[in-house]
Amino acid sequence: MGKRAKRDIILLILLCQGMIFNERDQELRDLGYQKHAFNMLISNRLGYHRDVPDTRNAACKDKSYPVDLPVASVVICFYNEALSALLRTVHSVLDRTPAQLLHEIILVDDDSDFDDLKGELEEYVQKYLPGKIKVIRNTKREGLIRGRMIGAAHATGEVLVFLDSHCEVNVMWLQPLLAAIQQDQRTVVCPVIDIISADTLAYSSSPVVRGGFNWGLHFKWDLVPLSELGGPEGATAPIKSPTMAGGLFAMNRHYFNELGQYDSGMDIWGGENLEISFRIWMCGGRLFIIPCSRVGHIFRKRRPYGSPEGQDTMTHNSLRLAHVWLDEYKEQYFSLRPDLRTKSYGNISERVELRRKLGCKSFKWYLDNIYPEMQISGPNAKPQQPIFINRGPKRPKVLQRGRLYHLQTNKCLVAQGRPSQKGGLVVLKACDYSDPGQIWIYNEEHELVLNNLLCLDMSETRSSDPPRLMKCHGSGGSQQWTFGKSNRLYQVSAGQCLRVVDPLSHKGYVAMAICDGSSSQQWHLEG
Ligand code: UDP
Ligand code: MN
């Protein structure tokens, strides 16, 4: 078989992973989106082992690492995770880490509600996983911040590696992290976080970017300044990063303790990544992204859980960090959020004392030396270009252009209202050959773009809901469609085919349904 044909078959298999065959599949998919905000049907079908594409720069493949690296304890906290995603995380670590470097894996169950994360996980670990796995159960919900501290307290390896519970590590992921820490104990390192699509679970490469933040105290990705690139090590050199994204990093265990772990007054989720980043830099450490280490992470469009009493923990945690670390610059935060000036944030005296005891530098020093790109808001501030990881500036190549005919009725699929209306439905209407707004483009990303503008989209829907016209996001999944056998039009993340609800009705409604090759499901794109 030719290389191209092979690639096309692999692509086809990938695109069909989410196919819905019966009501059970449909239930599993819809429940998965509800509980986890990703496609659990595909996650379950993938199982616990799979190869992922080696996304490293070619230069990384020639690098070698010392044989006497320090050993690692991998700490994974989870709350209501999909069991298949959690076990794939664990197995990816076991499958792609040299056994002598993996001291243990510590799973911290943050008082999850789902039954399979209790008995079934326990049984699986006892039956199939070697003695290296410890499961710790929190008796009440702690949140990921105290959860990681609990995991770290049980760890005995020299280096701590934190991962989210829906990751897949890539080949040779750990050695470059350990090597950087071995050279300098006060160096904290992050892998490049590759993207696992929430809709298709497809694994794809991320560009090498670094961590920043804005005055709303939100993490953001920044392009790496040219001054940081092009050293003698080229594309394999560690990249100085002002902040970390938070979920995936490695650090010497004694250094983690010495530096004050985390702020245990922070709850559930949010802010701890900026807090530890500022603390590392201001108190004598360093933070790098290691381009030769890659770990995939499922990026979801929403977080599927809240906090126990519905508190806004991101704000609570950000307030604590602002009062401990930002000095006079907390004014920047409060000028954006004046409502928070008088909001209480609990007792921070221990953290203030920690800062004093460690002899940390000022936030001004951090801004001047570590993040000079940060703009102080004011009349002269220049807004920075936001980075979208998913799609570069390149437009995907057009494969076909024309009207989308429903063969049985010979009508056209068009926008119900204006074709430029975001969120609008599509319906079947008589074809109007004078109307360019009825023209679809089918491109190499498998998107269906109406009127050169909006994409046919199935995101955040139940599998039987109708598709909508949304801004093209370029990250595949919910906007990917394939034309298949018996003229079907298959939606990749819904795992179903587009059908006309009632071919006789003038309303022309369409919806998704299990692919059955019937005439209500037959479509043809023609110029
Ligand atoms: N987590 C936890 N307890 C919580 C909230 C989250 O143990 O109360 C875990 C979660 O299961 C995941 C990690 O912490 O493994 C990071 O959370 P999440 O993936 O939701 O954060 P995101 O990646 O969306 O920022
Ligand atoms: Mn996550």
Side-chain angles (χ1 to χ4, degrees):
M1 195 187 308
K3 220 174 167 179
R4 223 197 126 111
K6 228 183 213 161
R7 196 201 60 200
D8 286 350
I9 287 186
I10 290 172
L11 189 71
L12 205 69
I13 293 171
L14 269 176
L15 292 174
C16 293
Q17 284 275 8
M19 172 86 88
I20 286 175
F21 294 104
N22 50 47
E23 271 172 34
R24 229 191 88 79
D25 292 347
Q26 187 160 345
E27 262 170 39
L28 208 59
R29 178 192 177 277
D30 292 351
L31 193 70
Y33 270 96
Q34 242 176 55
K35 289 187 350 187
H36 307 295
F38 64 77
N39 195 320
M40 180 167 71
L41 178 67
I42 298 184
S43 178
N44 292 0
R45 282 180 181 166
L46 282 176
Y48 305 153
H49 304 264
R50 71 160 163 172
D51 287 334
V52 294
D54 182 350
T55 50
R56 294 172 303 162
N57 183 301
C60 294
K61 300 177 189 175
D62 301 329
K63 287 201 75 152
S64 56
Y65 299 94
V67 283
D68 61 337
L69 291 169
V71 297
S73 295
V74 175
V75 175
I76 302 170
C77 296
F78 64 95
Y79 172 67
N80 287 357
E81 187 56 85
L83 182 62
S84 57
L86 175 63
L87 286 176
R88 201 164 43 252
T89 307
V90 170
H91 278 294
S92 79
V93 171
L94 292 170
D95 292 346
R96 287 190 278 271
T97 310
Q100 74 276 11
L101 295 181
L102 183 64
H103 184 67
E104 63 195 341
I105 299 178
I106 296 178
L107 302 179
V108 182
D109 170 11
D110 196 12
D111 198 24
S112 300
D113 306 315
F114 304 151
D115 290 342
D116 57 351
L117 294 171
K118 308 293 175 191
E120 208 174 318
L121 175 65
E122 204 73 46
E123 232 168 72
Y124 187 89
V125 168
Q126 286 192 0
K127 214 159 152 189
Y128 299 109
L129 293 175
K132 283 191 178 180
I133 318 272
K134 280 189 203 160
V135 184
I136 293 156
R137 308 277 186 183
N138 293 345
T139 50
K140 68 175 198 335
R141 176 94 176 277
E142 299 286 356
L144 74 92
I145 299 145
R146 290 191 293 276
R148 286 194 197 132
M149 292 166 74
I150 291 166
H154 283 83
T156 52
E158 196 172 336
V159 169
L160 293 170
V161 182
F162 296 100
L163 295 179
D164 274 11
S165 47
H166 36 251
C167 290
E168 285 167 74
V169 303
N170 211 313
V171 291
M172 287 287 282
W173 71 289
L174 186 60
Q175 292 90 325
L177 300 177
L178 296 178
I181 294 172
Q182 185 179 43
Q183 281 195 1
D184 172 21
Q185 310 282 312
R186 293 172 166 244
T187 290
V188 179
V189 286
C190 306
V192 176
I193 308 177
D194 281 336
I195 300 159
I196 302 176
S197 159
D199 291 316
T200 61
L201 281 270
Y203 186 112
S204 59
S205 173
S206 280
V208 176
V209 285
R210 65 178 203 169
F213 69 97
N214 60 29
W215 287 121
L217 298 181
H218 293 285
F219 172 85
K220 68 184 178 79
W221 295 108
D222 290 331
L223 290 174
V224 182
L226 286 177
S227 58
E228 296 289 326
L229 292 169
E233 277 184 85
T236 69
I239 291 165
K240 195 174 120 185
S241 189
T243 69
M244 66 163 88
L248 290 61
F249 68 98
M251 114 186 246
N252 177 282
R253 183 164 58 83
H254 298 295
Y255 183 47
F256 179 71
N257 291 329
E258 192 184 298
L259 194 66
Q261 304 179 352
Y262 276 118
D263 174 357
S264 63
M266 288 189 174
D267 299 322
I268 305 299
W269 182 96
E272 89 295 342
N273 56 330
L274 297 189
E275 193 268 346
I276 199 171
S277 304
F278 298 157
R279 185 152 42 91
I280 290 165
W281 282 116
M282 289 165 67
C283 310
R286 310 187 303 164
L287 176 60
F288 289 95
I289 290 170
I290 307 293
C292 291
S293 170
R294 289 188 171 256
V295 177
H297 169 261
I298 303 183
F299 285 89
R300 295 163 302 188
K301 293 187 195 79
R302 63 182 174 90
R303 223 163 308 110
Y305 54 81
S307 56
E309 274 127 49
Q311 318 91 314
D312 175 358
T313 61
M314 171 80 189
T315 297
H316 171 81
N317 299 348
S318 299
L319 263 178
R320 290 181 67 86
L321 97 86
H323 284 288
V324 176
W325 296 101
L326 294 197
D327 303 330
E328 67 273 26
Y329 292 88
K330 68 181 167 201
E331 199 37 52
Q332 299 290 330
Y333 179 49
F334 288 128
S335 65
L336 288 177
R337 297 289 307 272
D339 54 311
L340 300 180
R341 275 178 210 279
T342 54
K343 194 171 167 4
S344 64
Y345 45 84
N347 184 343
I348 56 168
S349 56
E350 269 180 40
R351 301 307 282 180
V352 173
E353 172 59 17
L354 173 78
R355 180 172 169 178
R356 197 197 56 75
K357 199 184 77 196
L358 292 173
C360 308
K361 297 195 175 77
S362 67
F363 200 70
K364 178 171 181 351
W365 175 89
Y366 169 87
L367 287 177
D368 289 345
N369 293 280
I370 307 304
Y371 200 27
E373 294 78 13
M374 179 60 156
Q375 308 283 329
I376 309 272
S377 74
N380 301 323
K382 281 182 288 183
Q384 283 177 334
Q385 282 288 330
I387 299 192
F388 299 102
I389 295 214
N390 294 336
R391 174 139 74 198
K394 170 175 136 287
R395 274 204 165 207
K397 207 165 80 196
V398 174
L399 300 179
Q400 252 180 300
R401 183 194 309 267
R403 275 160 227 283
L404 189 51
Y405 293 96
H406 183 243
L407 290 175
Q408 182 187 20
T409 56
N410 211 27
K411 289 183 177 171
C412 281
L413 188 73
V414 303
Q416 187 179 38
R418 279 182 300 118
S420 54
Q421 170 86 47
K422 241 190 262 166
L425 291 175
V426 288
V427 293
L428 218 51
K429 280 189 193 165
C431 305
D432 175 354
Y433 294 95
S434 66
D435 182 2
Q438 295 193 350
I439 302 277
W440 293 90
I441 282 171
Y442 186 58
N443 65 31
E444 61 181 344
E445 300 287 349
H446 302 275
E447 292 162 334
L448 276 169
V449 189
L450 183 61
N451 192 30
N452 236 333
L453 195 65
L454 297 178
C455 274
L456 197 62
D457 184 303
M458 274 296 286
S459 58
E460 293 288 307
T461 53
R462 286 178 310 149
S463 40
S464 53
D465 285 348
R468 291 175 180 278
L469 292 165
M470 301 297 277
K471 202 172 150 183
C472 301
H473 55 50
S475 55
S478 67
Q479 295 184 348
Q480 281 183 308
W481 302 78
T482 64
F483 291 92
K485 62 168 193 247
S486 46
N487 300 308
R488 74 184 187 196
L489 181 49
Y490 175 76
Q491 209 298 311
V492 171
S493 78
Q496 298 193 329
C497 285
L498 187 70
R499 72 179 269 257
V500 172
V501 175
D502 176 3
L504 298 176
S505 158
H506 67 277
K507 291 207 176 80
Y509 289 144
V510 296
M512 303 310 300
I514 293 173
C515 303
D516 60 10
S518 66
S519 43
S520 71
Q521 295 187 4
Q522 300 196 9
W523 303 87
H524 185 62
L525 182 68
E526 199 179 288

